[in-house]
Tab-separated table of all heavy atoms in Angstrom:
chain	number	residue	atom	x	y	z
A	130	GLY	N	53.109	-14.035	-5.348
A	130	GLY	CA	52.753	-15.309	-4.653
A	130	GLY	C	52.151	-15.113	-3.247
A	130	GLY	O	51.751	-16.214	-2.619
A	159	ASN	N	54.826	-7.325	-6.183
A	159	ASN	CA	55.814	-7.979	-5.290
A	159	ASN	C	55.615	-7.443	-3.889
A	159	ASN	O	54.517	-6.894	-3.609
A	159	ASN	CB	57.224	-7.651	-5.828
A	159	ASN	CG	57.511	-6.131	-6.005
A	159	ASN	OD1	56.949	-5.328	-5.271
A	159	ASN	ND2	58.358	-5.836	-6.910
A	179	THR	N	32.132	-20.629	-17.036
A	179	THR	CA	31.314	-21.679	-17.753
A	179	THR	C	32.033	-22.968	-17.592
A	179	THR	O	31.313	-24.077	-17.379
A	179	THR	CB	31.094	-21.232	-19.188
A	179	THR	OG1	30.373	-20.065	-19.260
A	179	THR	CG2	30.345	-22.374	-19.946
A	189	ALA	N	32.158	-24.608	-2.167
A	189	ALA	CA	32.233	-23.228	-1.664
A	189	ALA	C	32.939	-22.380	-2.694
A	189	ALA	O	33.764	-22.835	-3.450
A	189	ALA	CB	32.980	-23.179	-0.317
A	206	PHE	N	26.121	-13.114	-11.842
A	206	PHE	CA	25.243	-13.800	-12.722
A	206	PHE	C	25.535	-15.294	-12.827
A	206	PHE	O	24.628	-16.126	-12.761
A	206	PHE	CB	25.361	-13.187	-14.189
A	206	PHE	CG	24.619	-13.900	-15.273
A	206	PHE	CD1	23.245	-13.766	-15.420
A	206	PHE	CD2	25.269	-14.871	-16.102
A	206	PHE	CE1	22.591	-14.508	-16.418
A	206	PHE	CE2	24.625	-15.580	-17.035
A	206	PHE	CZ	23.233	-15.366	-17.228
A	207	PHE	N	26.799	-15.662	-12.925
A	207	PHE	CA	27.205	-17.055	-13.105
A	207	PHE	C	26.991	-17.785	-11.763
A	207	PHE	O	26.654	-19.023	-11.805
A	207	PHE	CB	28.594	-17.132	-13.612
A	207	PHE	CG	28.723	-17.033	-15.108
A	207	PHE	CD1	28.929	-15.813	-15.647
A	207	PHE	CD2	28.568	-18.160	-15.926
A	207	PHE	CE1	29.047	-15.706	-17.042
A	207	PHE	CE2	28.636	-18.024	-17.291
A	207	PHE	CZ	28.841	-16.791	-17.931
A	228	ALA	N	47.967	0.479	-3.384
A	228	ALA	CA	47.383	0.645	-4.749
A	228	ALA	C	45.886	0.205	-4.725
A	228	ALA	O	45.487	-0.755	-4.085
A	228	ALA	CB	48.134	-0.268	-5.759
A	231	LEU	N	40.051	-1.737	-6.731
A	231	LEU	CA	38.653	-1.795	-7.071
A	231	LEU	C	38.161	-0.410	-7.246
A	231	LEU	O	38.252	0.468	-6.301
A	231	LEU	CB	37.850	-2.542	-5.983
A	231	LEU	CG	36.343	-2.816	-6.273
A	231	LEU	CD1	36.188	-3.735	-7.436
A	231	LEU	CD2	35.665	-3.290	-5.024
A	241	THR	N	24.932	-4.224	-4.812
A	241	THR	CA	23.716	-4.575	-5.524
A	241	THR	C	23.672	-6.023	-5.961
A	241	THR	O	22.665	-6.743	-5.782
A	241	THR	CB	23.527	-3.789	-6.834
A	241	THR	OG1	23.470	-2.367	-6.457
A	241	THR	CG2	22.219	-4.078	-7.570
A	261	THR	N	29.998	1.060	3.598
A	261	THR	CA	28.857	1.577	4.402
A	261	THR	C	28.845	3.145	4.420
A	261	THR	O	27.742	3.745	4.719
A	261	THR	CB	28.988	1.176	5.882
A	261	THR	OG1	30.278	1.600	6.431
A	261	THR	CG2	28.997	-0.377	5.936
A	295	GLU	N	44.647	-1.364	18.727
A	295	GLU	CA	44.717	-2.031	20.080
A	295	GLU	C	45.760	-3.136	20.148
A	295	GLU	O	46.219	-3.636	19.116
A	295	GLU	CB	43.332	-2.634	20.451
A	295	GLU	CG	42.259	-1.547	20.857
A	295	GLU	CD	41.463	-1.099	19.639
A	295	GLU	OE1	41.906	-1.461	18.435
A	295	GLU	OE2	40.535	-0.398	19.757
A	307	GLU	N	23.010	-12.057	16.627
A	307	GLU	CA	24.086	-12.046	17.630
A	307	GLU	C	25.291	-11.298	17.108
A	307	GLU	O	25.634	-11.416	15.913
A	307	GLU	CB	24.508	-13.438	17.985
A	307	GLU	CG	23.437	-14.248	18.647
A	307	GLU	CD	23.904	-15.718	18.920
A	307	GLU	OE1	23.985	-16.473	17.937
A	307	GLU	OE2	24.186	-16.062	20.091
A	318	THR	N	54.594	-7.235	13.005
A	318	THR	CA	55.418	-7.771	11.952
A	318	THR	C	55.044	-6.964	10.655
A	318	THR	O	53.897	-6.545	10.533
A	318	THR	CB	55.239	-9.219	11.697
A	318	THR	OG1	55.943	-9.638	10.573
A	318	THR	CG2	53.792	-9.612	11.496
A	320	ASN	N	55.362	-8.607	7.852
A	320	ASN	CA	55.111	-9.728	6.936
A	320	ASN	C	53.671	-10.159	7.045
A	320	ASN	O	53.429	-11.200	7.578
A	320	ASN	CB	56.120	-10.830	7.201
A	320	ASN	CG	57.549	-10.457	6.959
A	320	ASN	OD1	57.847	-9.637	6.046
A	320	ASN	ND2	58.448	-10.961	7.766
A	323	GLY	N	48.832	-10.716	2.137
A	323	GLY	CA	47.884	-11.822	1.889
A	323	GLY	C	47.007	-12.214	2.975
A	323	GLY	O	46.268	-13.226	2.962
A	326	CYS	N	43.103	-12.312	1.992
A	326	CYS	CA	42.899	-13.381	1.034
A	326	CYS	C	42.898	-14.738	1.726
A	326	CYS	O	42.022	-15.588	1.521
A	326	CYS	CB	43.906	-13.368	-0.092
A	326	CYS	SG	44.030	-11.851	-1.003
A	332	VAL	N	38.081	-19.681	5.415
A	332	VAL	CA	36.639	-19.773	5.679
A	332	VAL	C	35.934	-20.600	4.597
A	332	VAL	O	35.125	-21.537	4.895
A	332	VAL	CB	36.017	-18.395	5.801
A	332	VAL	CG1	34.469	-18.458	5.905
A	332	VAL	CG2	36.552	-17.580	6.984
A	336	LEU	N	33.905	-24.185	4.938
A	336	LEU	CA	32.452	-24.241	4.427
A	336	LEU	C	32.418	-25.387	3.387
A	336	LEU	O	31.355	-26.083	3.340
A	336	LEU	CB	32.030	-22.939	3.832
A	336	LEU	CG	31.862	-21.792	4.846
A	336	LEU	CD1	31.460	-20.520	4.090
A	336	LEU	CD2	30.784	-22.105	5.883
A	342	LEU	N	29.160	-21.836	9.727
A	342	LEU	CA	29.915	-20.665	9.574
A	342	LEU	C	30.717	-20.246	10.774
A	342	LEU	O	31.839	-19.749	10.738
A	342	LEU	CB	28.936	-19.484	9.127
A	342	LEU	CG	29.514	-18.163	8.570
A	342	LEU	CD1	30.028	-17.262	9.662
A	342	LEU	CD2	30.534	-18.400	7.550
A	345	ALA	N	33.710	-22.382	10.887
A	345	ALA	CA	34.627	-22.037	9.834
A	345	ALA	C	35.384	-20.734	10.114
A	345	ALA	O	36.603	-20.706	9.896
A	345	ALA	CB	33.804	-21.786	8.515
A	346	VAL	N	34.749	-19.763	10.702
A	346	VAL	CA	35.406	-18.536	11.053
A	346	VAL	C	36.391	-18.694	12.162
A	346	VAL	O	37.444	-18.170	12.118
A	346	VAL	CB	34.338	-17.415	11.386
A	346	VAL	CG1	35.012	-16.210	11.981
A	346	VAL	CG2	33.529	-17.010	10.156
A	367	HIS	N	56.451	-5.772	2.356
A	367	HIS	CA	55.621	-6.602	3.214
A	367	HIS	C	55.719	-8.031	2.732
A	367	HIS	O	55.157	-8.414	1.693
A	367	HIS	CB	54.157	-6.050	3.074
A	367	HIS	CG	53.939	-4.763	3.694
A	367	HIS	ND1	53.855	-4.527	5.021
A	367	HIS	CD2	53.736	-3.569	3.104
A	367	HIS	CE1	53.608	-3.216	5.278
A	367	HIS	NE2	53.599	-2.645	4.143
A	376	ARG	N	49.795	-26.256	9.619
A	376	ARG	CA	49.830	-27.695	9.566
A	376	ARG	C	51.175	-28.223	10.031
A	376	ARG	O	51.253	-29.289	10.755
A	376	ARG	CB	49.616	-28.159	8.109
A	376	ARG	CG	49.526	-29.651	8.007
A	376	ARG	CD	48.911	-30.118	6.682
A	376	ARG	NE	49.545	-29.614	5.561
A	376	ARG	CZ	49.408	-30.173	4.336
A	376	ARG	NH1	48.677	-31.244	4.231
A	376	ARG	NH2	50.021	-29.662	3.293
A	377	ARG	N	52.247	-27.478	9.850
A	377	ARG	CA	53.603	-27.900	10.354
A	377	ARG	C	53.603	-27.962	11.864
A	377	ARG	O	54.083	-28.866	12.464
A	377	ARG	CB	54.622	-26.971	9.889
A	377	ARG	CG	56.021	-27.304	10.332
A	377	ARG	CD	57.026	-26.346	9.656
A	377	ARG	NE	57.215	-26.587	8.203
A	377	ARG	CZ	57.962	-25.870	7.387
A	377	ARG	NH1	58.640	-24.872	7.860
A	377	ARG	NH2	58.065	-26.196	6.123
A	378	ILE	N	52.998	-26.918	12.499
A	378	ILE	CA	52.928	-26.891	13.967
A	378	ILE	C	52.037	-28.044	14.494
A	378	ILE	O	52.430	-28.682	15.505
A	378	ILE	CB	52.478	-25.522	14.455
A	378	ILE	CG1	53.577	-24.431	14.187
A	378	ILE	CG2	52.051	-25.529	15.974
A	378	ILE	CD1	53.067	-23.067	14.371
Side-chain angles (χ1 to χ4, degrees):
N159 56 29
T179 299
F206 171 81
F207 278 91
L231 187 65
T241 302
T261 61
E295 288 89 350
E307 297 175 287
T318 173
N320 299 323
C326 302
V332 174
L336 291 176
L342 192 283
V346 169
H367 293 283
R376 185 161 58 159
R377 179 175 292 175
I378 288 170

